[in-house]
Amino acid sequence: MIEDKNQQRTPISSLGEFGLIEHLTKHIELKNSSTLKGVGDDAAVLYFGDEQTVVSTDLLIENVHFDLAYMPLKHLGYKAVMVNLSDVYAMCATPTQIMVSIALSNRFPLESVEEFYAGVLLACEQHKVDLVGGDTTSSNKGFIISITAIGHAKKENLSYRSGAKSTDLLVVSGDLGGAYLGLQVLEREKQVFLVNPKNQPDLEAYSYLIERQLKPEARKDIPGLLKALDIKPTSMIDISDGLSSEILHLCKQSDVGCVLFESKIPIDPQVLTVCDEFNLNPTTVALSGGEDYELLFTININDHDKIKGNPHLTVIGYMTEDANQAFLQTRADQRIPLTAQGWNAFRE
Ligand code: ADP
Ligand code: MG
C-alpha cells in the first residue's frame, strides 16, 4: 500500500549504479571535522586524534526485520540509522559517520530509494552524523539494508557491558513496551486492510505506540545527561531485544546477578490500555517486546541521589554478587528467574 503511493516511477536502470549513487549523495555536506573524506573515493578517510573509535553495524532484511506494507520508506531509512546510532550511544560514544549499503530488487523505482534516503539524511541531520559511503547493488527479491555507524569517545568515557558491580543500581531511560505494541497494532491493521482495502483505520488511540515502532529515537541525550549529573555508568547496553534479554547480557558479561522490580518498570499509560485490549501482560511486553531503543545501565549506589526524581531515568533494580542469577521480583513479592524471550533472529 505504501509503495503504490508514488505517482512517478523512474526505473533505477535509467540512471545506472553510479548515476544512482551520485543522485543520492550529491547534496551531502560534511559536518564533522573527523571526516576527512566522505563519498567519492575507494574509501572514506576519518581521523579521531587520540580518541578511541567505536564501530557498529546492522543488517535489515525486508519481511524479516521490516514490512513495507505499513513501514513508510522514509521512516524505514530513519529507523535504520537510529538503531545503529543507539548502539554507539550505548557505548557512551558520539556517533559521527555512517555508511549505508543497500540491495534493491527491480520492483523499487528511484522515487522509493529517494524516500528511503530522505529518512536516512534526516536522521543524520538530527544527530550531526556524516554519510560517508556505502555500497549499492541489486537483489533478486526485496530490499536489504546494511548500515554501519562510526563514533568516538575518550577511552575513560566508554561504557562496556562488562563493568557492572554487585550493589550497583540498574537504571533505564524512558519507558518500555511501546514499540512492540505498536507493531501488534500495525499487524492487526494490515490484516484488516487485506480483507477490506477501503477501510480507513482510526489510529489516534495508538499514536504513541505507532510512533515508538515507526519512528524510534536513539537516546542521544542520556550520555550527556549522565555527564552533566557527574555520573559515570559502570555498564551500559541499548534495549533492542527486550529488557530481559539485555539484563541477562549485562549480568553475563559483568559476572553479576540482578534483582528487577516488576513494580518499577516504566510503562506508558497507552501501553497499559492497549495491553488490556490485546489481552497481553504489560510486564511481559516490557520484558520481551524489544525495539524500544532505550538505554539500560548500571550506576554506583552512591550516585542514587543524583538521579532521584529525574523524569528521564528510572531505577528498576540492583545488581547482586550471584553471577548470572537474574530475578524478577513480582508485585506479589515472588522471585521468578528472568529468561530471554526477546526477539531472536534464529527463532523457529
Ligand atoms: P567501489 O566500486 O569501490 O565499491 P562504488 O562505486 O560502489 O565504489 O562507490 C563509490 C562511492 O560511492 C564510494 O565512496 C562509496 O562509499 C559510495 N557509495 C556507494 N553506494 C552508496 C550508498 N548506497 N550510499 C552512500 N554512498 C555510497
Ligand atoms: Mg561498491
Side-chain angles (χ1 to χ4, degrees), residues 17-18 21 25 39-42 100 102 117 131-136:
E17 181 192 330
F18 301 130
I21 296 171
T25 60
V39 171
D41 214 309
D42 297 312
V100 179
I102 51 174
Y117 263 76
L131 175 49
V132 296
D135 201 19
T136 307

Side-chain angles (χ1 to χ4, degrees), residues 169-171 225-226 229 231 297 299 303-311 313-315:
L169 298 177
L170 182 68
V171 186
L225 173 66
L226 292 175
L229 294 170
I231 296 174
F297 55 95
I299 62 171
D303 287 331
H304 190 192
D305 283 350
K306 299 180 188 166
I307 64 162
K308 233 182 215 163
N310 191 299
L313 304 175
T314 312
V315 177

Side-chain angles (χ1 to χ4, degrees), residues 73-89:
L73 279 154
K74 185 171 176 184
H75 285 74
L76 178 62
Y78 189 86
K79 180 170 176 176
V81 176
M82 281 304 150
V83 307
N84 272 278
L85 299 186
S86 178
D87 282 317
V88 176
Y89 293 127

